[in-house]
Amino acid sequence: MLFSGQPGVYFLDPSLHRIKCLQIPPIQLLSYKLLTNIQIHQRNEKMASFSTAQDLFIPLGKDGQRMSYRLLGPSPSSSGKIPLVMLMGFRGTMDQWDPALIDPLAAQRPVILTDIPGVGRSEGAVPLSITEWAQSVVDLLIVMRIPQVDVFGYSMGGCNAQMVALIAEEYSGGKVKVRRLVLAGTTPSDGQGVKRFKREELEAFQRLAAAQTVEQQKEAFMKGFFGRCSEKSWAEGKKSWKRIAGARKKTMGQLGKEGSRRQGIAFAKFMGEGSLEKLKGLKMPVLIANGCQDLLLPTENSYLMYKTLPNAYLHLYPDSGHGFLYQYADHFSSLVNLFLDGEKLGATLTPSKL
Amino acid sequence: MLFSGQPGVYFLDPSLHRIKCLQIPPIQLLSYKLLTNIQIHQRNEKMASFSTAQDLFIPLGKDGQRMSYRLLGPSPSSSGKIPLVMLMGFRGTMDQWDPALIDPLAAQRPVILTDIPGVGRSEGAVPLSITEWAQSVVDLLIVMRIPQVDVFGYSMGGCNAQMVALIAEEYSGGKVKVRRLVLAGTTPSDGQGVKRFKREELEAFQRLAAAQTVEQQKEAFMKGFFGRCSEKSWAEGKKSWKRIAGARKKTMGQLGKEGSRRQGIAFAKFMGEGSLEKLKGLKMPVLIANGCQDLLLPTENSYLMYKTLPNAYLHLYPDSGHGFLYQYADHFSSLVNLFLDGEKLGATLTPSKL
C-alpha cells in the first residue's frame, strides 16, 4: 500500500520542532536525495520519554490516511543504534504501554511506538489480515529509512511482529531487515501442538472485547491479565494501570467496537495461516517471554514457539499471566535490553531441537 | 556431621593473610564470641578473582577432614552483600568453573566456591547420598557464619543445590537460610513427568565417567556438553575449555575413579528420593536454566521443575546443550546477576501453575 496516492510526507522539522509536510510526488520519495539529510526523527537535544514523546504522522494509506508513531530515546541516525519498534495487542494503542517497561528500553536505544491503521491516532480502517498490519509497519520503516530494526510484539501485536519478521525483507525489497525479535505473551497460529483457548480464556477475551467504560476496561485488564495469580500480582497490576493512566495528558482510550471486530477477524484469519511452520524460517535471535499461566494465550504455546524457532530464547515468569510484562516491568525491560545488546547471540543454527 | 571431633577451626588470618588454626573445643565454637569479630573471610584490599582466589580450609569431617573453599569478590561481612555459593557437577572441582561465568558474578557479590568432601582439595570420602553433600555445604556456611546465602548448582551440583535449599534451615537450626536458588542444567529426582535418560545420554554420561586423560576429559566435555549443536556452539565450547585450563596455575584434575563411583551411587539414590514433590515446598525465587537440547539431563526436566516450583523463572537458550552456561557465559552471568539483584522477585505465591 506504500506511496499509492498520498499527498506528501510529513516529518518533524529538526529546527522548528514541529510537524511539516514535505510535498514530494510519492513515487520519487525513495530516491529523493535530500531526505537522507533531513532527519525525520526528533533531534536529540532532549530525549523523549513515554510521557513526553510527540505524536508524529506519515501518510501511508491509499487515500493519504496517516499512520501515527512516536519516537523515544536517542535518535536512530545520530546514535547509530538499532531502533526497537513496539507492537501492541488487541484493542490497545500507543497510550497503553507501561512507561515502566518502555522508558528503560528507550534509555538504551531508539524506541518507536506505532499503531496499525485504524487504531489509536492512525487513520483508516483496521486491515482484515495481520499480514496487512505487518505491511503497514514495514511501510512506516521504509519511509523512516530504518534499514535494520528490532521488533517487540505483545499479545496480538506478537502475531503482527511474527509477520513483520517473516515478510519485512521481501516486502521492502531489502530495505528493511529485522535483526532481533521479542515475542511477549503471544501465540503462533494453529499448527501441530498449538494449544487452543480454554473456556475461561474465551471469557477473558470476551470481557476484553466488550469493555466500553474505563471501569470495564480496568476490570478486563485485571481479570484477563492477572487472573488466577496472587495478591502481589494483582497489586502490581493495579500499580501498572495507574502508571499507564497517569503517563500522558491526552489519551485515546481503547480501540472502539468496529475496529475491535475487525481485529478479531484478522486474528481468526491469522490462526488459520500456519505461521507456526513458517517460524522455522526465522533465523534471527528471538526472545520469547510469558507468565506461567497466561489466561488469554496459553503459556504452552510460548514453549512450543521456543521449540520450533531455530534461534530462540525462552523466559517464563512465576506467579503471573498475560500481564507479566506489566508485573515484572523492571526485570523484563532489563532482560530485553540484555537480549538486544548481547553481541554473541547471532549463533549459527542447531540442526534439531527438543 | 558438624563439629564431631575435629581438632580446631582453620581460618584466614586477616592481618597475616595466611591460614591459621584456632584451637577451640568444637562444641564451644558457635558460642565463641571472638569469632564474630575474627573474619574468616579474606580482607577486601584486593578482591580475589577466579584466578587469584586462595584455597581455604575448614575441618568439618568426623576425623577432622578439611573441606576446601575459595572466596571471590567482595567480603561478605564488610560489603553486606549476600554470598552466592556455587556447587559443581559430576567429577568437576572448583577448578572447573569457567572464569567467564564466575568473575562477572564475583564483581557484584561475594562468591564462594567449594567442593564436597572427597572432591578436589576437600578431604575424606565422597558421601553416598546427596543429602550428605548438602549437609557438608550447610556445615561450611554455619562455620563461615553466613546466615543468608544464594545457591547456584550446576548439573549434579544442581541436585545438591536442591537439597541444600530443602534442608538448610532445619538442619542448621535456623542459622543458614537460602534466599534464592539457581538450578542450571539439572534435574529433579524421579517423579511424575520426569523424562529419563535416552541411550545417547547414557553414552555421554559414561564417556564423562570413564575419561582418565586430559584428552579424554576434553572429548567428554565437548561431546557431552556441546553434542548435536552447531559449529559456533562447539567453537564456544573450545574457548571455554581454554579459559578454564589457563585460569589457574595448579589444578587438581577431575575427580578420580573411586570418587566418581561414589558420586554415581549418590546420584542414583537421589533419583529415587522424590525431590520433585518436595520442590513444591521451596518458596524462594528460583532461576532454572538450560540449553535447548541437554544430552545429559533432558531439557524437558527443566521445564517440569519450572512448572512444579511455586516461584520459578525459566530461561532456556538456543543452539546449546548441557554446556550452555559455558557457551553463553557473558549472557548467563548477566542473567544470574539480574535475578539475584532483582528486588521485587520475592512474590507471594500463585495457587496453581500450568
Side-chain angles (χ1 to χ4, degrees):
Chain A
M1 66 173 72
L2 185 63
F3 303 136
S4 47
Q6 76 272 39
V9 169
Y10 290 77
F11 67 99
L12 188 76
D13 186 292
S15 54
L16 300 174
H17 274 281
R18 63 182 175 82
I19 306 295
K20 286 184 74 173
C21 178
L22 183 69
Q23 295 293 339
I24 311 166
I27 202 66
Q28 293 174 25
L29 179 65
L30 288 185
S31 60
Y32 196 73
K33 297 292 180 194
L34 265 180
L35 261 189
T36 53
N37 297 320
I38 296 172
Q39 297 303 318
I40 292 178
H41 322 302
Q42 284 175 281
R43 275 202 178 174
N44 200 11
E45 281 97 2
K46 193 179 177 184
M47 292 200 302
S49 69
F50 184 80
S51 293
T52 63
Q54 290 176 267
D55 294 321
L56 305 173
F57 300 92
I58 290 178
L60 291 172
K62 280 182 192 157
D63 304 312
Q65 291 103 335
R66 302 185 309 166
M67 191 152 160
S68 62
Y69 69 101
R70 293 180 192 142
L71 184 61
L72 287 65
S75 155
S77 51
S78 66
S79 72
K81 291 188 172 179
I82 292 168
L84 174 66
V85 63
M86 310 278 302
L87 303 174
M88 191 21 113
F90 183 50
R91 301 197 64 190
T93 74
M94 289 194 286
D95 297 333
Q96 263 106 37
W97 290 107
D98 188 334
L101 175 71
I102 300 295
D103 285 333
L105 297 173
Q108 300 297 323
R109 69 199 75 254
V111 169
I112 298 165
L113 307 184
T114 187
D115 287 327
I116 58 163
V119 174
R121 290 161 185 79
S122 288
E123 297 168 351
V126 174
L128 292 172
S129 80
I130 292 188
T131 303
E132 286 170 274
W133 302 6
Q135 288 173 345
S136 72
V137 174
V138 180
D139 287 346
L140 180 73
L141 296 171
I142 293 172
V143 177
M144 289 179 80
R145 296 183 173 262
I146 306 285
Q148 205 177 28
V149 72
D150 296 330
V151 180
F152 179 124
Y154 172 49
S155 191
M156 212 178 272
C159 307
N160 189 4
Q162 290 168 45
M163 296 312 295
V164 171
L166 285 166
I167 67 153
E169 208 156 344
E170 191 180 340
Y171 175 74
S172 70
K175 290 188 185 75
V176 176
K177 194 180 164 189
V178 177
R179 188 189 68 127
R180 290 183 193 180
L181 186 62
V182 181
L183 300 176
T186 192
T187 184
S189 67
D190 259 351
Q192 198 178 4
V194 172
K195 191 175 171 187
R196 299 305 304 260
F197 297 95
K198 282 183 267 181
R199 187 180 163 76
E200 65 264 34
E201 289 150 4
L202 276 178
E203 277 171 19
F205 182 79
Q206 283 160 350
R207 197 182 293 111
L208 268 184
Q212 293 303 319
T213 66
V214 172
E215 266 314 300
Q216 285 167 349
Q217 285 164 8
K218 185 177 178 183
E219 193 194 351
F221 175 78
M222 289 305 302
K223 287 193 175 168
F225 291 31
F226 304 92
R228 286 207 289 180
C229 295
S230 73
E231 279 178 23
K232 168 138 185 159
S233 168
W234 276 69
E236 291 297 331
K238 283 179 188 165
K239 279 187 213 165
S240 174
W241 181 268
K242 269 194 187 175
R243 287 194 297 264
I244 296 166
R248 294 184 66 90
K249 283 181 186 162
K250 287 182 188 171
T251 58
M252 293 291 286
Q254 286 190 314
L255 178 64
K257 207 170 174 181
E258 173 58 12
S260 306
R261 193 185 67 83
R262 294 177 67 93
Q263 280 196 338
I265 292 168
F267 181 68
K269 190 175 169 194
F270 167 82
M271 287 306 285
E273 277 184 348
S275 81
L276 183 67
E277 266 305 303
K278 293 177 196 158
L279 291 181
K280 291 179 183 169
L282 290 180
K283 310 293 187 194
M284 74 280 284
V286 180
L287 173 63
I288 298 163
N290 213 338
C292 63
Q293 41 189 1
D294 189 332
L295 272 180
L296 282 151
L297 299 171
T299 303
E300 286 87 339
N301 293 343
S302 291
Y303 186 53
L304 179 68
M305 282 197 291
Y306 166 72
K307 289 195 286 183
T308 306
L309 280 157
N311 201 1
Y313 298 70
L314 178 70
H315 197 89
L316 299 180
Y317 287 89
D319 186 30
S320 52
H322 201 62
F324 77 94
L325 75 179
Y326 301 95
Q327 183 174 337
Y328 295 101
D330 281 358
H331 185 280
F332 190 49
S333 54
S334 298
L335 186 74
V336 172
N337 277 330
L338 181 62
F339 170 72
L340 295 177
D341 292 336
E343 284 173 17
K344 288 188 181 174
L345 302 187
T348 49
L349 306 169
T350 176
S352 65
K353 297 272 283 197
L354 282 172
Chain B
M1 66 174 72
L2 185 62
F3 303 136
S4 47
Q6 76 270 41
V9 170
Y10 290 77
F11 67 99
L12 187 75
D13 186 291
S15 54
L16 301 174
H17 274 280
R18 63 182 175 81
I19 306 294
K20 286 183 73 172
C21 180
L22 183 69
Q23 295 292 340
I24 311 166
I27 202 67
Q28 294 175 24
L29 178 66
L30 288 184
S31 60
Y32 196 72
K33 297 292 179 193
L34 265 180
L35 261 188
T36 53
N37 296 321
I38 296 172
Q39 297 304 319
I40 291 177
H41 323 302
Q42 283 173 282
R43 275 202 177 175
N44 200 13
E45 282 96 2
K46 193 180 177 185
M47 292 200 303
S49 69
F50 183 80
S51 294
T52 62
Q54 290 177 266
D55 294 322
L56 305 173
F57 300 91
I58 291 177
L60 292 173
K62 280 183 193 156
D63 304 311
Q65 292 103 334
R66 301 185 309 166
M67 191 153 161
S68 62
Y69 70 101
R70 293 179 192 142
L71 184 60
L72 287 65
S75 154
S77 51
S78 65
S79 73
K81 291 188 172 180
I82 292 167
L84 174 67
V85 63
M86 311 278 302
L87 302 175
M88 191 22 114
F90 183 50
R91 301 197 64 190
T93 74
M94 288 194 286
D95 297 333
Q96 263 106 37
W97 290 107
D98 188 335
L101 175 71
I102 300 295
D103 284 333
L105 296 173
Q108 300 298 323
R109 70 199 74 254
V111 169
I112 298 164
L113 307 184
T114 187
D115 286 328
I116 58 163
V119 174
R121 290 161 185 80
S122 288
E123 297 167 350
V126 175
L128 292 172
S129 80
I130 292 188
T131 302
E132 286 170 275
W133 302 7
Q135 287 173 346
S136 72
V137 174
V138 180
D139 287 346
L140 180 73
L141 297 171
I142 293 172
V143 177
M144 289 179 79
R145 298 184 174 261
I146 305 285
Q148 205 176 27
V149 72
D150 297 330
V151 180
F152 179 124
Y154 172 48
S155 192
M156 212 176 274
C159 306
N160 190 4
Q162 290 168 47
M163 297 312 295
V164 171
L166 285 167
I167 67 153
E169 209 156 343
E170 192 180 341
Y171 175 74
S172 70
K175 290 188 184 76
V176 176
K177 195 181 164 191
V178 177
R179 187 190 67 128
R180 290 184 193 179
L181 186 61
V182 182
L183 299 176
T186 193
T187 185
S189 67
D190 258 351
Q192 197 178 5
V194 171
K195 191 174 170 187
R196 298 305 304 259
F197 297 94
K198 282 184 268 181
R199 188 180 162 75
E200 65 263 36
E201 289 150 4
L202 276 179
E203 278 171 20
F205 181 79
Q206 284 160 351
R207 196 182 293 112
L208 269 184
Q212 293 304 318
T213 67
V214 173
E215 266 313 301
Q216 285 168 348
Q217 285 165 7
K218 185 177 178 183
E219 194 194 351
F221 176 78
M222 289 306 301
K223 287 194 176 168
F225 290 31
F226 305 92
R228 286 206 289 180
C229 295
S230 73
E231 280 179 23
K232 169 139 183 156
S233 168
W234 275 69
E236 291 296 331
K238 283 178 188 164
K239 279 186 213 167
S240 175
W241 181 268
K242 269 194 186 174
R243 286 194 297 264
I244 296 166
R248 293 183 67 91
K249 283 182 186 163
K250 289 182 187 171
T251 58
M252 293 291 285
Q254 287 190 312
L255 179 64
K257 206 169 174 180
E258 173 59 11
S260 306
R261 192 185 67 81
R262 294 177 68 92
Q263 279 197 337
I265 292 169
F267 182 68
K269 190 176 169 194
F270 167 81
M271 286 307 284
E273 277 184 349
S275 82
L276 183 65
E277 267 304 305
K278 293 177 196 158
L279 291 181
K280 291 178 183 168
L282 290 181
K283 310 293 188 193
M284 74 281 284
V286 180
L287 173 63
I288 298 163
N290 212 337
C292 63
Q293 40 190 359
D294 189 331
L295 272 179
L296 283 151
L297 299 171
T299 303
E300 286 88 339
N301 293 344
S302 291
Y303 186 53
L304 179 68
M305 281 197 292
Y306 166 71
K307 289 196 286 183
T308 306
L309 280 156
N311 201 1
Y313 298 69
L314 178 70
H315 197 89
L316 300 180
Y317 286 90
D319 186 30
S320 52
H322 201 63
F324 78 94
L325 75 179
Y326 302 95
Q327 183 174 337
Y328 295 101
D330 281 359
H331 185 281
F332 190 49
S333 55
S334 298
L335 186 75
V336 172
N337 276 330
L338 181 62
F339 169 73
L340 295 177
D341 291 335
E343 284 174 17
K344 288 188 181 174
L345 302 186
T348 49
L349 306 168
T350 176
S352 66
K353 296 272 283 198
L354 283 171

